[in-house]
Amino acid sequence: MIALQTDTMTENLKNILTQTLNTSLTGQVLVDVMRLDLLHPVVSGNKWFKLKDYLAEAIQQQKSILATFGGAYSNHIVASAFAAREAGMRSIGYIRGEPGKQVSDTLLTARSFGMEIRYLDRVSFRNPEKVIQENKHPAIYWVREGGYGITGANGAATILQHASLLQYTDIVCAVGTGTMLAGLIKSALPHQRLTGILVVNNANSIREEINRLLTPEETLKPYSLIPDYTFGGYAKHTKSLLENMCDLWFAEHIPSDFVYTGKLFFAVKDLVSKGYFTKKSRVLVIHSGGLQGNGSLPENTLPF
Ligand SMILES: *Cc1c(COP(=O)(O)O)cnc(C)c1O
């Protein structure tokens, strides 16, 4: 842990703040947003929390290369490239698919942080165990796609240390692999209900993957996964989603992305209007960052 104490990101934790939403959006329900997007312009949000304990372990094991997996627009890939560099390590990103004609912004950014990019065809990508076996090297520390794993969940569990936790009845976040939600389940207080807004279409397998990161007692904690706001699936988007993101920006000056937090904030607004929360609810929404993903939208789609 010591090696990471003085790095930029630890310093940047001071940037995190909690913002109360205007009641014109939320009616009588009090909604606070934890702004993890303010952590860092590129490596914002939950990805750094999920990575930090992996890096500490890698350093402890004297590994010099961090290798991980992701898509061409993955927040996790950029965050891994940056975090590895911060920790004085090299990094390798195994990327799903073929090298495109145009390299994505995400991969260019990752490369600018020194990441070596290697492409995997879709079949190989689905079998990371095999890739790990074939590329085994004593200097390499491997991290799963999205930072999935107990170490990642334990890192995400420290997110809630940045809020005055006791006052909240509800905690809501976006769910990709579910690693962040697993961490929040671990660290939430017994009276708190957790709600995960799925941004991918496979609710059942995600629930299993989340439970795999929890102890038997933790799986009994009250948490729900809501599958109604995927907008068609991972990284799919509609006009109304983008409009809602613009509205949020103009009303609250909160930027969001179309893959994760745009769907999260759409869901929160809709759930408020449907009475999912009560007048006595105090809701903490985790803005998990990830704004770099908007780089793949056509220019001028969003006002931020
Ligand atoms: C990766 C990501 C998530 C999903 O986190 P999981 O731990 O994979 O569920 C949510 N929000 C943002 C902005 C992300 O980049």
Side-chain angles (χ1 to χ4, degrees):
M1 297 287 174
I2 297 208
L4 292 171
Q5 288 298 311
T6 56
D7 70 13
T8 332
M9 295 311 277
T10 306
E11 179 64 19
N12 284 2
L13 289 173
K14 292 205 288 278
N15 297 347
I16 298 173
L17 57 80
T18 302
Q19 176 176 347
T20 302
L21 290 188
N22 203 306
T23 49
S24 64
L25 294 181
T26 59
Q28 285 178 308
V29 181
L30 261 168
V31 180
D32 285 353
V33 177
M34 188 195 262
R35 298 282 308 270
L36 300 183
D37 58 309
L38 299 172
L39 200 52
H40 185 275
V42 179
V43 194
S44 64
N46 72 355
K47 292 301 182 285
W48 181 77
F49 281 94
K50 289 197 283 184
L51 279 165
K52 67 186 177 70
D53 291 2
Y54 286 118
L55 281 161
E57 190 172 275
I59 289 166
Q60 203 173 40
Q61 296 176 4
Q62 299 184 315
K63 307 281 187 184
S64 59
I65 305 169
L66 180 100
T68 191
F69 303 86
Y73 301 99
S74 158
N75 293 325
H76 167 71
I77 285 293
V78 182
S80 298
F82 180 88
R85 191 184 67 167
E86 283 276 303
M89 294 172 73
R90 284 176 48 208
S91 62
I92 303 173
Y94 286 90
I95 307 302
R96 177 182 44 231
E98 311 285 314
K101 276 196 214 89
Q102 227 186 335
V103 181
S104 69
D105 262 10
T106 306
L107 296 185
L108 287 175
T109 309
R111 229 182 235 163
S112 77
F113 295 139
M115 181 175 266
E116 180 192 329
I117 302 293
R118 295 184 187 169
Y119 290 93
L120 288 176
D121 63 68
R122 276 151 211 278
V123 177
S124 310
F125 192 87
R126 256 181 259 130
N127 194 352
E129 270 319 325
K130 188 153 170 259
V131 177
I132 292 172
Q133 278 309 318
E134 286 169 359
N135 294 279
K136 240 191 165 126
H137 189 282
I140 299 185
Y141 185 87
W142 294 92
V143 175
R144 286 313 173 105
E145 183 185 9
Y148 176 82
I150 290 178
T151 306
N154 287 335
T158 65
I159 289 173
L160 293 181
Q161 291 170 6
H162 299 275
S164 319
L165 191 56
L166 193 60
Q167 60 186 309
Y168 298 108
T169 57
D170 286 87
I171 299 168
V172 189
C173 72
V175 172
T177 64
T179 310
M180 168 171 57
L181 180 60
L184 300 179
I185 293 168
K186 288 176 186 296
S187 51
L189 301 170
H191 71 277
Q192 291 168 334
R193 173 176 71 160
L194 292 113
T195 303
I197 308 301
L198 287 162
V199 304
V200 288
N201 273 339
N202 43 345
N204 289 337
S205 65
I206 298 279
R207 181 170 282 275
E208 269 169 42
E209 306 247 293
I210 291 174
N211 285 343
R212 221 173 283 151
L213 304 178
L214 301 174
T215 63
E217 300 81 63
E218 285 165 349
T219 60
L220 302 175
K221 288 202 189 180
Y223 84 88
S224 11
L225 292 175
I226 302 199
D228 305 335
Y229 303 98
T230 65
F231 289 82
Y234 183 72
K236 297 274 193 323
H237 55 92
T238 65
K239 197 159 163 259
S240 79
L241 176 66
L242 297 178
E243 275 168 10
N244 198 65
M245 288 163 62
C246 294
D247 291 348
L248 181 70
W249 169 255
F250 289 121
E252 301 283 346
H253 254 70
I254 297 179
S256 53
D257 75 289
F258 70 92
V259 184
Y260 295 103
T261 58
K263 294 177 183 179
L264 169 68
F265 286 110
F266 190 102
V268 168
K269 193 172 133 186
D270 199 52
L271 290 172
V272 165
S273 77
K274 290 183 171 149
Y276 181 79
F277 306 106
T278 71
K279 273 185 224 165
K280 292 209 180 99
S281 300
R282 280 212 70 153
V283 184
L284 181 67
V285 178
I286 311 295
H287 189 318
S288 37
L291 299 169
Q292 68 85 28
N294 286 336
S296 65
L297 291 173
E299 234 174 289
N300 301 324
T301 307
L302 297 168
F304 49 84

